[in-house]
Amino acid sequence: MSLNVLGSLASAEGGGFETPTTAEFYQPLLFDGPLAITRPAVVLMLSVGLIAWFLIATTRRAAIVPSKGQWVTEGAYGFIRNGVARDIIGSKDFLRFVPLLFTMFVLILVNNLFGVIPPVQFPTMSRIGIPIALTLVVYVVYHYIGIKRVGLGAYFKHLVPDGLPGWIVPLIFVLEVITFFITRPLTLALRLFGNMFAGHLLLLLFITGGEYMIIHGGIGLKIAGAGSFAMAFVLTIFEILIEFLQAYIFTLLAATYIAGSLSDEH
Amino acid sequence: MQLFTGATQVATLVTAGEAEQLPVLPHWGELIFGVIAFAILYWIVREKVVPRLEKMYADRTAAIEGGMRQAEEAQQEAQAALEQYKAQLAEARVEAARIRAEAQEQGAAIIAELRAQAQAEANRIAEASHKQIEAERAQAIVSLRSEVGRLSTELASRIVGESLQDEVRQSGIVDRFLAELEQGGARPETVGQDA
Amino acid sequence: MTGNIAILGYGLSAIGPGVGIGLIFAAYINGVARQPEARGMLQSIAILGFALAEALAIFGLVLAFVFK
């Protein structure tokens, strides 16, 4: 595995330390094979249940003067509605996309935060299938609006800005097609996945490494193990920041792509 | 998406062989779960949460605008009331000034009237007393004249021994005497001489 | 020492985005310092630029796992 460098170093000193590998992330609970019900799938469903319950409970009596729970919901909603949807898409027809963006944001945020919240401690988004599912939604939505607005042929024609010299048009066209159909969805899904995956792996490494050093190491390694735990704590705080940021970025980019399909030029 | 479908074959190959697979290849169960989870949550948010929150936003905007309108109305009302009060106050002031002026006028009139009355009374009293005095004086003169005449004739008759009882002569003598007396030239000798 | 040369590839691929993200946020801080009222607008642009630059590093990370 890719992180065996560290593992072999550790095993050379203490003997028998298994570095956390990418296999840590594959945890089937029921069945086996490609359609197994895995831990992230269960966590995802749990998160959907929790979010749905929370959102419905806090908005049941949506009062003009908000209660505490409503204030939280309203804060997140106002952030997405005004800070992302209205600013990026424009005040004309942003309201159509607010449910989509709000769902994205809340789902990603809660699942990301599950990465550090104790009873779950598994970032759902570190399984690439789930970011791909969300990206698929955005991908379908922004192509659908673009094609519906101007038609299929015009949509491809619009990929190239007007007024370019003739010889450069095919080049730009190829680049734009790659950007629109490959790079955008790929980066959207991989960014979320990569951040969550790497972050979780890092936390795993520091925690399991610290644990191993404290249990099996000498006095020097015990101190290093404590340092490792401290590092894990700092990184956990950092992870929380990253988790918020990634949820925001995903939503922001989704809004940007939708805005691009709605506007006349790219 | 071609990349992903291509990757699927690799993924299925890998998952068929071993439980562990490349982390960058989607696990189909999770991908399907992801789409389903998103669909469920999206439906809930679109049907329940967003309408409620939007309604709340609209209500809040309406409430704020309503509050502002209400405040404006209240202010206008207060302004109107203030102006009304001011008008009333000015009216009252004018009224008070008018009443005061009237009272002054009336007072002056009363004083003038009283003064006139008093003056008239005083004049009347003075005139009456003048007249009375005049009358009394006249009376006194008349009575004095007759008294003086009677006395002087009596005295003269006693002295002269001559009866001067004749009325006409008597009064003629008395009158002549009195006239001389008034002129200052009356002397007892001349009286005796004349008599 | 055993290991995977792909992890070096990731290290190399992180250099460019690292510099790029640094430049983006430096520009963002400059912009906010000059015009604090433009913060909201600059923020989403900066985050957008950050996300685009970061994509390259993420590619590197992913490729490190793909090519065993």
Side-chain angles (χ1 to χ4, degrees), chain B residues 63-73:
Chain B
I64 290 169
E65 275 176 4
M68 277 162 67
R69 201 178 322 120
Q70 216 169 344
E72 213 166 287
E73 268 169 22

Side-chain angles (χ1 to χ4, degrees), chain A residues 23 26 33-34 36-38 40-41 44-45 48 51-52 55-56 59-60 63-64 66 70 74 77-78 81 95 99-100 102-104 107 127-130 132-134 136-137 139 186 193 197, chain B residues 1-4 12 15 18-38 40-46 48-54 56-57 59-60 63:
Chain A
Y26 181 65
I37 309 291
T38 55
L44 188 66
M45 280 303 164
V48 168
I51 296 167
L55 289 183
I56 288 177
T59 56
R60 175 166 295 137
I64 288 169
Q70 193 193 334
E74 219 176 273
Y77 183 72
R81 180 184 186 269
L95 219 49
L100 180 83
F102 184 58
T103 311
M104 288 271 172
L107 192 63
R127 295 293 295 171
I128 196 164
I130 295 157
I132 286 179
L134 296 180
L136 211 58
V137 174
Y139 187 77
L186 211 55
F193 155 75
F197 180 79
Chain B
M1 292 315 291
Q2 282 84 356
L3 190 133
F4 293 136
T12 43
T15 42
E18 42 179 342
E20 184 195 328
Q21 61 173 6
L22 279 176
V24 287
L25 297 180
H27 181 266
W28 286 103
E30 287 168 5
L31 199 149
I32 292 162
F33 259 92
V35 173
I36 292 171
F38 180 82
I40 293 171
L41 197 59
Y42 178 71
W43 184 78
I44 289 169
V45 167
R46 205 189 60 181
K48 297 266 179 193
V49 178
V50 169
R52 283 175 184 174
L53 285 171
E54 286 298 329
M56 190 272 303
Y57 269 12
D59 283 356
R60 186 174 293 170

